[in-house]
Amino acid sequence: TFAGNYRLARSIAASIEKLLPEAVRQSGEGKEWVNLEQCARWLGWSDWTRQSAFAEITGRLNDPPFTQQSDHAMQLARIYAELNSLPSVPALIQDGEARCRKALQFTPEDPALLIRLAGLLQVGGKLDEATKAAQRVVELSPNDVDAWMQLGVVLVHQNRNEEAARAFETCLARDPQNVFARNNLAQVWVRLNRKMEAQREYERAIALKPGYGTAHLGLGRL
C-alpha cells in the first residue's frame, strides 16, 4: 500500500540522514519530514492508482505460491472490500487526471507523473494528449520499458499500428524477456495481417511464460 511504502521510505531516509555530512544535516535542522498526504499530492497518487495497485496485487496473489497460503482467502477478501469501496471508474479517472496535472505543476518534467497521466488520458479517451505525454516520457527516459509500452498501447488505440509496432520493438530491444510487450507486438502484427510475425511473437511469449493464457488465446485465434 501507499502508506506502507511511505513508512518504509521514512525509515530508510532516517537511516541515510545519519550518514550525511554534518553541514548537510545542519541545513535540514528544524525541518519536518514531508507527511503522507503531501507525498501523495506531489506524486499524483489517487484512488485510480490505488485501484491499479490492488489489481496488480490480486493478480499476483492468484498465482502460486500465494494460493497455498493459509490466509489466501482472507487476503483476497480484504482487497476486494477495498476495491468495492472505491468510486466508479469515470470518477476515478477524472480525479486521477486532476491530481496528476496538479502534481505536474511542481515537477512538469517528471517521467513517472507523465506516464501516469498518459495512462489516465488513454483510458479517458483523450488519445492525442495521451500520445504527447507518452512521447515526452520516452524523450526524457529513452530506456524506460514501461514508457515505450504505454506509448505503444496509446498508438494502438489510435490505429497507428506501424508506429505502435516500433514502440513495442523498442521496448523488447531493452527488455527481451518482456512477455507483455511480445504479446502486444503479436496483436499489432495481427492487425497488420502479418501472420507469420504474429505467430512468432506469440510463440516466443509462451516460451518465456508457458502459463500466459492471453498469448495462448491469441495464438489459438490466429
Side-chain angles (χ1 to χ4, degrees):
T1 64
F2 189 84
N5 282 327
Y6 173 80
R7 289 188 181 188
L8 180 61
R10 275 288 303 272
S11 68
I12 294 171
S15 299
I16 293 173
E17 182 185 29
K18 298 173 185 177
L19 306 175
L20 295 174
E22 181 65 25
V24 178
R25 290 203 304 274
Q26 288 180 351
S27 69
E29 285 184 1
K31 296 179 182 179
E32 294 188 5
W33 291 104
V34 176
N35 62 35
L36 179 67
E37 290 73 25
Q38 288 173 313
C39 278
R41 186 168 63 251
W42 291 348
L43 294 172
W45 186 263
S46 66
D47 280 340
W48 172 260
T49 39
R50 187 172 163 217
Q51 181 200 51
S52 300
F54 278 131
E56 183 174 341
I57 292 168
T58 303
R60 294 183 185 185
L61 288 177
N62 279 319
D63 286 333
F66 304 106
T67 50
Q68 304 302 315
Q69 291 180 325
S70 59
D71 62 344
H72 180 248
M74 292 171 57
Q75 291 185 65
L76 289 180
R78 179 177 61 81
I79 292 173
Y80 288 138
E82 293 266 13
L83 286 169
N84 290 333
S85 70
L86 296 175
S88 64
V89 170
L92 289 175
I93 295 170
Q94 185 176 9
D95 176 67
E97 180 187 337
R99 288 175 183 269
C100 259
R101 291 189 186 280
K102 194 166 185 179
L104 282 164
Q105 292 176 2
F106 297 100
T107 51
E109 296 285 75
D110 185 332
L113 282 173
L114 285 169
I115 195 171
R116 184 173 296 163
L117 178 63
L120 284 159
L121 291 169
Q122 174 216 316
V123 295
K126 301 176 181 178
L127 299 180
D128 288 338
E129 283 187 87
T131 301
K132 289 179 182 177
Q135 286 174 333
R136 184 58 185 147
V137 179
V138 298
E139 290 170 3
L140 292 167
S141 303
N143 290 316
D144 188 334
V145 172
D146 291 335
W148 286 105
M149 278 279 284
Q150 181 63 64
L151 178 59
V153 170
V154 177
L155 291 169
V156 166
H157 279 79
Q158 292 181 298
N159 289 317
R160 295 164 62 178
N161 296 308
E162 295 282 0
E163 294 172 83
R166 287 195 292 273
F168 292 134
E169 286 177 324
T170 304
C171 175
L172 287 167
R174 286 152 175 74
D175 181 14
Q177 307 296 311
N178 194 314
V179 294
F180 306 109
R182 291 211 175 276
N183 188 74
N184 286 348
L185 180 57
Q187 291 175 338
V188 172
W189 290 146
V190 171
R191 291 166 71 113
L192 292 169
N193 201 34
R194 294 170 61 172
K195 296 179 181 179
M196 293 298 292
E197 289 98 326
Q199 179 179 340
R200 179 191 64 207
E201 294 304 331
Y202 278 133
E203 289 173 346
R204 286 177 173 174
I206 292 167
L208 289 167
K209 190 174 182 181
Y212 188 27
T214 304
H216 282 287
L217 181 61
L219 181 58
R221 285 175 171 168
L222 180 63

